[in-house]
Amino acid sequence: MDRTDRLTSHGDTVEAVLIGGPADIPQVARTVRTPAAETKIKVLHRNGYEHFEIVREPRIDPSRPVAFHWTMRTKIAE
């Protein structure tokens, strides 16, 4: 399977890379699969959620992961 197949396989999902946010988010958690139409990703981290938004559209260059940049953090209500 070549890189393009890996990025576009698994149904209608794409590989996404999460950029920015807390430095202690593990590197392995910064690459995720997400639905191709998704524009926001929320990641549980410590006692809250880190929010990431898409930077470029998934189909512009299907050989590269879709970039999502960190936008904010929200805390989990207790």
Side-chain angles (χ1 to χ4, degrees):
M1 175 183 313
D2 70 16
R3 182 163 171 73
T4 301
D5 291 339
R6 183 172 60 85
L7 293 174
T8 58
S9 63
H10 301 91
D12 197 18
T13 65
V14 294
E15 185 176 33
V17 62
L18 307 179
I19 301 169
D24 65 339
I25 294 176
Q27 192 61 37
V28 68
R30 290 187 177 273
T31 302
V32 298
R33 292 210 68 84
T34 189
E38 195 64 60
T39 60
K40 297 180 181 182
I41 296 176
K42 183 169 68 169
V43 176
L44 180 60
H45 180 66
R46 296 193 183 208
N47 63 341
Y49 290 97
E50 304 302 333
H51 297 259
F52 296 84
E53 292 187 22
I54 195 167
V55 173
R56 63 179 179 260
E57 293 298 320
R59 299 298 179 204
I60 290 175
D61 184 356
S63 68
R64 297 185 62 189
V66 180
F68 284 75
H69 278 241
W70 182 84
T71 57
M72 70 176 169
R73 174 179 175 69
T74 55
K75 290 188 176 181
I76 296 173
E78 293 183 22

